[in-house]
Amino acid sequence: EAQVTQNPRYLITVTGKKLTVTCSQNMNHEYMSWYRQDPGLGLRQIYYSMNVEVTDKGDVPEGYKVSRKEKRNFPLILESPSPNQTSLYFCASSPWDRVNNEQFFGPGTRLTVL
Amino acid sequence: GDSVTQMEGPVTLSEEAFLTINCTYTATGYPSLFWYVQYPGEGLQLLLKATKADDKGSNKGFEATYRKETTSFHLEKGSVQVSDSAVYFCALFTGGGNKLTFGTGTQLKVEL
C-alpha cells in the first residue's frame, strides 16, 4: 500500500531533551516536506526537500533540523525542544510536479513539550 | 506573498443540507488549487483539485470551480452526510514556490 508513515504518533517530552520524528514514504517521491498544524493557523511548512541531500527552509524553520540521506526517509530533529514546539506535525511527500504538486500526508505526530 | 482565506468555522449542518465553504486566494502567477480533508485523528487527504481557470474539481459529491476573476475556489456539496464531518483545508500551489499554502481550515459538523 502506498503510504507515508510517521513515528511516533504521540510523544510527550521535556524541555531540552533532543528528539527525532521519523518519516518514511514508499512511493519513490522526490519531494518531501514537514508541516506543523496549530489552531487558527492552519498548516505551516517547516522544511522541505527536493531530493536526496537537498533541503531548504520553509516558513517556520527555527528550532528544527532535517536530513535527507535516503530518498524514502526525511526525519525531523528537535535538538532542544521548547514548549512553543508543542504541536501536531505532518510529513508529506509528492512526485515533484510544477503544475499541481499533489501531496500525500502521513497520519501526524502529536508532540507535547513540558 | 501567497495566501488563502477560508470562512471561519465551525459550520454545523443537518444531514442532507447544502454545503458551501468559501475560499479565496492571493497568488502571484497561476496557481493550482486544492481542497484537502482531515477526518478526526487522521492526516490530510486530497479531496479535489483544479489546475487552471474554469476547471471544476469533483470527488465524493463535492465540487469546486476555479474562478480566476473572483480569485475563489468555493467548496460545495448538495447533500451532506454525518460522515462528512471533518476539517476542510483550501490550499494553493504556484510553480515558482516549493510548498502548498494552506488556509486555516474550516470544521464541518453534520448532525442527524
Side-chain angles (χ1 to χ4, degrees), chain A residues 91-109:
Chain A
C91 181
S93 72
S94 171
W96 179 244
D97 181 331
R98 294 184 69 82
V99 174
N100 65 39
N101 195 9
E102 176 181 340
Q103 296 194 18
F104 297 81
F105 284 80
T109 295

Side-chain angles (χ1 to χ4, degrees), chain A residues 15-75:
Chain A
T15 299
K17 185 176 181 182
K18 181 179 178 179
L19 66 91
T20 299
V21 183
T22 64
C23 172
S24 183
Q25 51 94 3
N26 63 2
M27 294 170 279
N28 202 36
H29 287 167
E30 293 177 345
Y31 177 95
M32 297 186 74
S33 181
W34 276 102
Y35 296 88
R36 60 178 290 174
Q37 182 181 7
D38 300 291
L41 297 176
L43 277 79
R44 295 177 291 168
Q45 191 183 50
I46 303 170
Y47 270 94
Y48 66 93
S49 169
M50 301 288 286
N51 213 326
V52 175
E53 302 293 0
V54 180
T55 64
D56 210 344
K57 297 177 181 178
D59 295 321
V60 289
E62 295 78 19
Y64 304 95
K65 286 175 58 176
V66 293
S67 67
R68 186 93 181 272
K69 293 185 171 58
E70 306 166 280
K71 197 171 188 179
R72 63 183 292 126
N73 296 324
F74 191 46

